[in-house]
C-alpha cells in the first residue's frame, strides 16, 4: 500500500467511526420498514431470537438503554467488520493461481 | 429490512441459505480473480462505512424509519455485483451474530435480499443508465436496489405465510420507495467523495480496472 492508499483507508475509517459515534444519538428509534409492516400485517406469532447475541440491538446489556452502549457497540462492530473484510478478501486472494506476483 | 428468526419456516430458510452459499462461491471466485492488493483495504473501509451507516436509521413518514443497505454503492465502485455480495455477507453476518440484527436462521435470506438481489439490481440498473448520465444512473440504481430487495422480502414473507401478499407488497414497497431516496442520496454523496479524493479507484476513471472488469 502506498501513502495515498493508506491515507484513503485511514480517512475512510475515520468517517465510518464518526458515523458510528453519532448514530446512537442521531438515529431514529422508530421501527424500520419491515418491522413497521410486521406491526400491521403479521400473520404469525413473533418469536424470540434463536441465538442470544452478545450486544443485542447495538446495546451493552449491563448498561441498559444508555447511548454509550450504542457507541461502544457500533464502534466495535465497525472495527470487527473492517477486520473480517480484510480477512475474507485476503483469504480469497490466497487461492489465486500464481499470486504474490501481482502488485 | 433484516428478517428476524420466526418469520421464515426452517425449510425455506435452508433453501435461501443454499442459494446464498452458491452466490458466495461465485463472489469468492470473483475476488480471487479481480481483487488486487490495493483494493482489499478499499473494500474493508467500504464494509466498515456500510456497517456504521446502517446503524443510522433515518426517520420517514408513518412512524417508520429506514437505513441504507449499500449494495449498489459497492457494486458500482468495484464494477461488479459480486463485490456487493462479499461486503454485505460480512456486514450482515457480523450484525446477526454480534448484535442480533437479523435472525441467524434468516441470515441466508438476508444476504440473498440485501447482498445478491440488491447488488445485482444496483449494478444492472447502473450499467443500463450510465450512458445517459453517470450521477442520475447512480441515484436510480441505488434507489432500485433497495426497492427491489424490499419487494423480494415481501414475496418471501408471502411464501412463508408471514405477510399477506397484497398488503406485504404495499407496505414494503411504500416504505422502501421512500427509504430508497436516502439510499440514492447517500450513494451519490459517497461516490462523489471518492471521485474527489481518489478518482483512480473508480472503474470509469481507471483504465486498468475497466479492462479487468470485462
Amino acid at each position: 500500500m502506498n501513502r495515498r492508499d493508506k491515507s484513503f483507508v485511514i480517512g475512510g475509517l475515520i468517517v465510518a467511526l464518526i458515523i458510528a459515534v453519532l448514530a446512537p444519538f442521531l438515529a431514529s428509534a422508530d421501527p424500520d420498514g419491515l418491522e413497521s409492516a410486521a406491526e400491521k400485517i403479521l400473520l404469525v406469532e413473533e418469536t424470540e431470537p434463536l441465538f442470544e447475541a452478545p450486544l443485542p440491538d447495538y446495546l451493552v446489556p449491563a448498561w441498559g438503554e444508555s447511548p454509550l452502549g450504542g457507541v461502544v457497540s457500533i464502534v466495535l462492530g465497525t472495527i470487527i467488520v473492517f477486520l473480517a473484510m480484510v480477512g475474507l478478501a485476503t483469504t480469497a486472494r490466497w487461492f489465486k493461481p500464481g499470486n504474490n506476483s501481482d502488485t | 429490512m433484516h428478517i428476524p428468526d420466526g418469520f421464515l419456516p426452517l425449510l425455506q430458510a435452508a433453501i435461501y441459505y443454499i442459494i446464498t452459499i452458491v452466490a458466495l462461491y461465485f463472489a469468492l471466485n470473483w475476488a480471487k480473480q479481480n481483487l488486487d492488493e490495493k483494493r482489499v483495504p478499499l473494500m474493508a473501509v467500504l464494509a466498515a462505512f456500510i456497517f456504521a451507516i446502517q446503524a443510522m436509521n433515518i426517520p420517514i413518514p408513518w412512524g417508520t424509519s429506514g437505513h441504507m443497505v449499500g449494495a449498489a454503492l459497492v457494486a458500482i465502485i468495484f464494477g461488479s455485483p459480486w463485490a456487493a455480495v462479499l461486503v454485505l455477507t460480512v456486514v450482515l453476518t457480523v450484525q446477526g451474530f454480534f448484535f442480533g440484527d437479523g435472525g441467524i436462521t434468516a441470515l441466508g435470506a438476508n444476504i440473498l435480499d440485501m447482498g445478491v438481489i440488491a447488488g445485482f439490481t444496483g449494478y444492472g440498473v447502473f450499467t443500463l443508465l450510465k450512458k445517459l448520465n453517470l450521477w442520475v444512473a447512480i441515484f436510480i440504481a441505488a434507489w432500485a436496489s433497495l426497492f427491489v430487495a424490499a419487494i423480494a422480502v415481501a414475496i418471501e414473507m408471502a411464501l412463508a405465510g408471514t405477510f399477506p401478499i397484497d398488503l406485504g407488497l404495499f407496505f414494503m414497497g411504500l416504505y422502501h420507495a421512500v427509504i430508497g431516496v436516502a439510499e440514492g442520496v447517500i450513494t451519490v454523496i459517497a461516490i462523489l467523495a471518492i471521485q474527489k479524493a481518489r478518482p483512480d479507484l473508480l472503474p470509469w476513471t481507471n483504465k486498468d480496472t475497466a479492462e479487468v472488469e470485462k
Side-chain angles (χ1 to χ4, degrees):
Chain A
M1 243 197 329
N2 64 29
R3 235 192 45 208
R4 287 184 73 209
D5 288 340
K6 215 171 256 172
S7 54
F8 183 82
V9 168
I10 291 168
L13 266 182
I14 290 171
V15 171
L17 289 172
I18 289 172
I19 296 168
V21 170
L22 293 179
F25 301 98
L26 298 182
S28 164
D30 287 336
D32 79 1
L34 179 62
E35 291 163 346
S36 242
E39 281 175 8
K40 296 186 178 70
I41 58 174
L42 192 64
L43 299 173
V44 297
E45 286 284 305
E46 278 200 67
T47 59
E48 287 295 302
L50 246 97
F51 163 85
E52 193 55 52
L55 300 167
D57 292 326
Y58 305 93
L59 288 169
V60 176
W63 301 349
E65 297 277 308
S66 149
L68 190 64
V71 172
V72 168
S73 297
I74 300 168
V75 166
L76 202 63
T78 304
I79 296 166
I80 293 170
V81 165
F82 179 82
L83 296 176
M85 194 71 248
V86 170
L88 184 67
T90 307
T91 311
R93 274 170 41 79
W94 271 341
F95 292 95
K96 184 173 183 164
N99 70 345
N100 304 331
S101 57
D102 60 337
T103 45
Chain B
M1 65 177 94
H2 294 55
I3 302 171
D5 286 326
F7 276 30
L8 289 171
L10 287 180
L11 179 69
Q12 292 182 25
I15 293 169
Y16 297 132
Y17 257 100
I18 292 167
I19 299 171
T20 292
I21 288 166
V22 172
L24 195 54
Y25 169 80
F26 285 105
L28 285 167
N29 249 330
W30 170 85
K32 191 171 83 175
Q33 305 297 338
N34 293 288
L35 262 192
D36 56 27
E37 202 181 349
K38 93 171 178 186
R39 301 214 298 168
V40 170
L42 169 66
M43 185 175 259
V45 162
L46 261 181
F49 170 79
I50 287 170
F51 174 86
I53 205 138
Q54 284 204 2
M56 189 74 94
N57 278 55
I58 298 160
I60 65 166
W62 314 293
T64 300
S65 74
H67 60 73
M68 182 177 184
V69 165
L73 175 68
V74 181
I76 292 168
I77 291 175
F78 279 85
S80 167
W82 297 118
V85 176
L86 276 188
V87 168
L88 269 296
T89 296
V90 169
V91 169
L92 291 163
T93 304
V94 171
Q95 286 172 336
F97 278 95
F98 286 85
F99 305 103
D101 196 6
I104 295 304
T105 57
L107 181 59
N110 283 325
I111 296 174
L112 175 65
D113 299 328
M114 289 183 266
V116 182
I117 294 174
F120 274 83
T121 303
Y123 182 73
V125 171
F126 174 71
T127 308
L128 280 174
L129 299 181
K130 68 181 173 189
K131 289 255 151 58
L132 299 175
N133 176 295
L134 190 68
W135 301 101
V136 171
I138 292 170
F139 178 86
I140 297 175
W143 180 87
S145 71
L146 194 87
F147 183 76
V148 173
I151 296 300
V153 173
I155 294 169
E156 289 157 13
M157 292 298 98
L159 289 173
T162 301
F163 289 178
I165 179 79
D166 49 349
L167 289 173
L169 284 171
F170 175 74
F171 283 114
M172 288 301 285
L174 174 70
Y175 294 150
H176 293 90
V178 178
I179 300 165
V181 175
E183 179 93 25
V185 169
I186 299 169
T187 305
V188 167
I189 291 172
I191 296 178
L192 267 174
I194 295 173
Q195 170 116 316
K196 204 142 197 215
R198 291 295 303 276
D200 57 304
L201 293 175
L202 295 170
W204 52 87
T205 45
N206 179 344
K207 289 185 188 74
D208 291 352
T209 38
E211 273 163 35
V212 175
E213 302 305 340
K214 280 273 160 78

